[in-house]
Amino acid sequence: MAKAKAGGIAGDQLESIIQRIERLEEEKAALAGDIREVFAEAKGNGFDTKILRQVLKLRKMDKADRQEQDAILELYLNALGMID
Amino acid sequence: MAKAKAGGIAGDQLESIIQRIERLEEEKAALAGDIREVFAEAKGNGFDTKILRQVLKLRKMDKADRQEQDAILELYLNALGMID
Amino acid sequence: MAKAKAGGIAGDQLESIIQRIERLEEEKAALAGDIREVFAEAKGNGFDTKILRQVLKLRKMDKADRQEQDAILELYLNALGMID
Amino acid sequence: MAKAKAGGIAGDQLESIIQRIERLEEEKAALAGDIREVFAEAKGNGFDTKILRQVLKLRKMDKADRQEQDAILELYLNALGMID
DNA sequence: AACGTTGAAATAGTTC
DNA sequence: GAACTATTTCAACGTT
């Protein structure tokens, strides 16, 4: 009900939420721009961006894979009553 | 060898590039997390996140095309129980 | 009215497209149901669905990882002028 | 040991479960591919896939809530150049 | 039964 | 402008 009338508290809250998110998204977009620049620079130095992306992707997957391995190990140990 | 760099100086460069990008992506991911938090908080305060996203989207489009603004506004007012 | 000038070729085509997709989606939904059943049955036999899902996920990631590895290898070989 | 099955008969069961699910998921993925093809074909015939998806979505909702139908209809007719 | 989490689907953006 | 990739959105699942 608090939010029933416009211009009320809910209106202020809404405005605040929107602004905070828009601010964060600006920063995020700026970082995306920085990343693009690094790629462009790398390309200028003769690196193949496609390969670069593939390397990055693989490293990310490896990391995720390791985390999965740990998670499943823990899950099994847990199921066997060996931890927790 | 100019094209497909490997080893030596190029190896150092490659490492640097990878690290810089991974660092920037971490920061980007952190911001994405912050944004998620704001949404979660808003939700906790009774806002409908789906509609919030529509509002954000519309505001972004605005610079280019304001046409759907009335529709989304009505949608949001409706969600807030301000109009039937 | 809809197909207003309906009866036109576009109307027929549209109808056909919609129906084909809806049919395929029904089949897809049926498969999703089958999968759910297998999980339920497994659970009934004492298996932990969470672990099951984790195993499935890991197997999928392993496969994807292998594909990535192949892709990057090819990319490198290509960059070195060793294939194609 | 009943809870956390491993080895022997349970191992066979586990393998069977995993295989059945992976098989079903393959079929599901194949259907998703078929659907994508239909969309691609429709696109080739001049249909707007985005609007097609909206139509599908609306038809699905219909059983529960027909409210937005008019809007999407106008949208689609417009896309087909039948109005405005 | 709502909540957060996670996986799939869709859209947007980028590159060639 | 077509294909590919990245991001965002949506829906399902398990959890509390």
Side-chain angles (χ1 to χ4, degrees), chain A residues 24-37:
Chain A
L24 290 166
E25 281 185 344
E26 265 176 51
E27 294 178 34
K28 191 149 82 73
L31 281 171
D34 292 346
I35 290 169
R36 234 175 292 122
E37 274 182 49

Side-chain angles (χ1 to χ4, degrees), chain B residues 14-44:
Chain B
L14 176 57
E15 200 175 335
S16 162
I17 290 163
I18 296 292
Q19 285 175 356
R20 283 163 68 196
I21 292 173
E22 284 182 342
R23 176 87 173 89
L24 291 167
E25 281 184 346
E26 265 177 50
E27 294 179 33
K28 191 149 82 74
L31 282 171
D34 292 346
I35 291 170
R36 236 176 290 123
E37 275 181 48
V38 177
F39 274 112
E41 184 193 326
K43 186 175 190 173

Side-chain angles (χ1 to χ4, degrees), chain D residues 8-72:
Chain D
I9 294 173
D12 291 348
Q13 265 190 301
L14 177 57
E15 200 174 334
S16 161
I17 291 163
I18 297 293
Q19 284 173 358
R20 283 164 67 196
I21 293 173
E22 284 182 342
R23 176 87 171 87
L24 291 167
E25 282 184 345
E26 265 176 51
E27 294 179 32
K28 191 149 82 74
L31 282 171
D34 292 346
I35 292 170
R36 237 176 288 122
E37 274 181 48
V38 178
F39 274 113
E41 182 193 326
K43 187 175 190 173
N45 287 331
F47 288 94
D48 182 326
T49 61
K50 193 170 175 178
I51 292 173
L52 243 22
R53 285 177 199 280
Q54 282 183 277
V55 172
L56 258 352
K57 191 181 195 175
L58 187 61
R59 283 169 63 99
K60 205 188 242 173
M61 291 192 337
D62 262 5
K63 284 107 194 181
D65 182 347
R66 299 179 109 254
Q67 290 198 332
E68 294 176 350
Q69 204 161 37
D70 293 343
I72 187 68

Side-chain angles (χ1 to χ4, degrees), chain A residues 36-83:
Chain A
R36 234 175 292 122
E37 274 182 49
V38 178
F39 274 112
E41 183 193 325
K43 191 173 191 174
N45 287 330
F47 289 95
D48 181 330
T49 60
K50 193 171 177 181
I51 290 179
L52 246 23
R53 283 180 198 278
Q54 205 90 10
V55 171
L56 257 353
K57 192 176 180 181
L58 191 56
R59 284 168 61 100
K60 201 189 230 173
M61 287 185 73
D62 283 346
K63 194 196 284 180
D65 221 339
R66 257 177 272 120
Q67 289 175 339
E68 280 294 313
Q69 298 271 14
D70 291 347
I72 199 166
L73 175 60
E74 184 181 336
L75 222 39
Y76 276 127
L77 292 178
N78 193 353
L80 292 171
M82 300 179 79
I83 61 171

